[in-house]
Structures are given as structure tokens and as C-alpha cells.
Amino acid sequence: MTPPPAAGPPPCPRPPPGGSPPGSLATVAKARCRPRPATSLPPATLPDPAAPSPVTGSPGPRGGPRSARARAAMAPGHLSVREMREEDKALVLEMLKAGVKDTENRVALHALTRPPALLLLAAASSGLRFVLASCALALLLPVLLAVAAVKLGLRARWGSLPPPGGLGGPWVAVQSSGDVCGVLALAPRASAGGGARVTRLSVSRRHRRQGVGTRLLAFAESRARARAGGLGEPQAQLVVPVAVAAWGVAGMLEGCGYQAQGGWGCMGYTLVREFCKDL
């Protein structure tokens, strides 16, 4: 007995001699029976464990996920600190002014919303009503003058280049590419004992949250220890003044082991806090 033939695809119907109109059943069946060209598929590839993740850009399972802030903190691994040169003065001065502009409005708002300041502004407005014909102008003029006074005071204190002190400087943080990304100025402490006081500390806006401020603080601590050792003091202390509205700088200092101890202000309210650390 001969085995039955293997089942195969049904034979395609032959079109009639006169051809079939388009759209007929014979035309559709002929199109289905037409052999398709062979297509070459790319070989399957496995993902590389070290390839960057498409979402975070961090290493895959081999390196573990990392946040964008952690990657940014690793960027300035080749930071160096040197004394400011003559060609750096314009850039450093612009950096200091930009740092003051970031906090001057918040400091002014904090200062003018204290109860004694509100009482003085109300008294000044009441007195100006008898001089000026406009009630709105009498209300706005004292506020504008107070805000201008606070801003000018901050710019004169922190927005200018400091005089050369006993610890050298000012110092600038420089990346391996040569870009100046931060500035630091130190002065000896007025009180007895070894240590130093930070008079200027600013980081350019496009280099913030990359570890530049931490690197400058570490350099300031080393200079303060060297001064204390030269004076024969067993312990040094570094003091960093921070405006009350600069929450980012205050958080960075607290993360580096600094503690808020005192400050100065006006009418019994603190405007600038002093963070200290025993070295």
C-alpha cells in the first residue's frame, strides 16, 4: 500500500481564459497564493549590561542605577584650586554679583516682613501722607527705599572683591578644561585662637550642585588648619556666614558637619547666620 500524499496547500484556482475583473474572488485568491520574497531578519542581540540606561543614562545592572544629582556630583573630579589671576577678576566679580542677586530679594522680603520693620514702614507711610498728594505713593515709597537699602548693603558686603587678607587669595576653583567655576576668600578670625573666616564663597550658576562648593570648603578647612598649626594652636575653627534665605548653602554646610552658632541682624532679628566647624 502506498502512503497517502502529504497534505499541502490547496491548489490555486486558475483564472478563466478571458481574465477576471479586478476585485473578484479569483484575483484575491491569486494574490494570496503569490509567493512572498524572503526577508533577512537581523540577528537577535542581547543588551549589554554596561550600556547606559535609556531613562536615567546611568550604568545598567553592573553599576546599579544612579540619580542625575549623583552623576552631576561626580562631574568635577578634576577640580583644582589656585589663586585668582589678573585675567580672572572680571569673571570672579560677575560670579560674586550673580550670587548676591540670587538671595537679595529673599533677604529683603525676610527683613521687611518682621514686625518691627512693618511697624516702621507703617509709621513712615503715615507721615508721608501729609507731604505727598498720593496715598499709593506714600505706601510704596518707604518699601522701595527699604528694599534698595538692603540690596545695596548686600552687594557692598558680598558682591565685591575682598581686599587681600592674611591667608592669601582670593582663590578660584578651576576645572580640568580651564573654566573658573567658583571663588573663595578667607580672612583670619578676629577672636583669639587659630582658624579662619570665609568672606566670599560663590559658585557659577551652570556649575552648581556639582561638588564645587564642597571642594572649596575642603580647601578652606586645610588653610585654616595650616594657620592654626603655624600659630601653635591645637585646634582650628572655620566660620562661614550665610544669609537666612540661602537655604541651599545652609543645607550643604550642615551636610559637611557645620553647625549654626549665632549670627547678626537688625532689630533683634537674624539676617545672617554663622556656621562653625571645629577642625
Side-chain angles (χ1 to χ4, degrees):
M1 297 179 63
T2 60
C12 297
R14 296 182 178 179
S20 57
S24 61
L25 293 178
T27 305
V28 175
K30 183 177 180 181
R32 289 182 178 178
C33 296
R34 186 177 302 167
R36 297 181 179 179
T39 57
S40 59
L41 297 177
T45 56
L46 297 178
D48 186 7
S53 171
V55 177
T56 61
S58 57
R62 185 177 300 176
R66 293 186 299 178
S67 63
R69 184 173 182 179
R71 294 196 313 275
M74 296 294 293
H78 302 286
L79 274 178
S80 60
V81 181
R82 60 168 173 81
E83 281 196 273
M84 184 187 68
R85 299 171 182 171
E86 189 67 26
E87 60 269 18
D88 302 331
K89 282 188 177 181
L91 181 60
V92 168
L93 187 59
E94 181 181 355
M95 194 183 307
L96 291 173
K97 291 181 179 179
V100 173
K101 287 181 180 179
D102 293 340
T103 58
E104 61 183 7
N105 291 328
R106 289 177 288 180
V107 173
L109 179 63
H110 178 84
L112 297 181
T113 52
R114 303 303 97 189
L118 293 176
L119 182 60
L120 290 177
L121 291 176
S125 299
S126 300
L128 288 176
R129 288 180 183 177
F130 297 98
V131 179
L132 302 176
S134 174
C135 182
L137 186 59
L139 292 175
L140 292 177
L141 187 59
V143 176
L144 294 178
L145 292 177
V147 171
V150 172
K151 289 186 176 183
L152 291 177
L154 290 177
R155 293 177 185 180
R157 186 176 182 89
W158 287 333
S160 59
L161 286 173
L167 292 174
W171 308 88
V172 293
V174 184
Q175 287 186 332
S176 57
S177 58
D179 295 337
V180 176
C181 52
V183 57
L184 168 73
L186 298 171
R189 291 189 61 192
S191 59
R197 180 183 181 87
V198 174
T199 58
R200 302 289 189 278
L201 178 61
S202 183
V203 179
S204 64
R205 291 178 179 176
R206 63 190 187 96
H207 292 98
R208 291 176 184 173
R209 298 185 180 273
Q210 297 182 6
V212 180
T214 306
R215 176 69 178 89
L216 289 173
L217 278 178
F219 178 80
E221 293 173 4
S222 64
R223 296 287 297 179
R225 292 192 195 97
R227 181 177 183 273
L231 296 177
E233 296 290 339
Q235 191 176 14
Q237 190 179 54
L238 184 64
V239 180
V240 185
V242 180
V244 292
W247 302 291
V249 180
M252 179 192 68
L253 292 174
E254 292 176 352
C256 294
Y258 288 79
Q259 295 180 355
Q261 298 179 2
W264 56 271
C266 183
M267 293 180 293
Y269 291 93
T270 302
L271 297 180
V272 176
R273 293 185 296 172
E274 291 186 346
F275 288 80
C276 305
K277 180 179 180 182
D278 295 329
L279 307 176

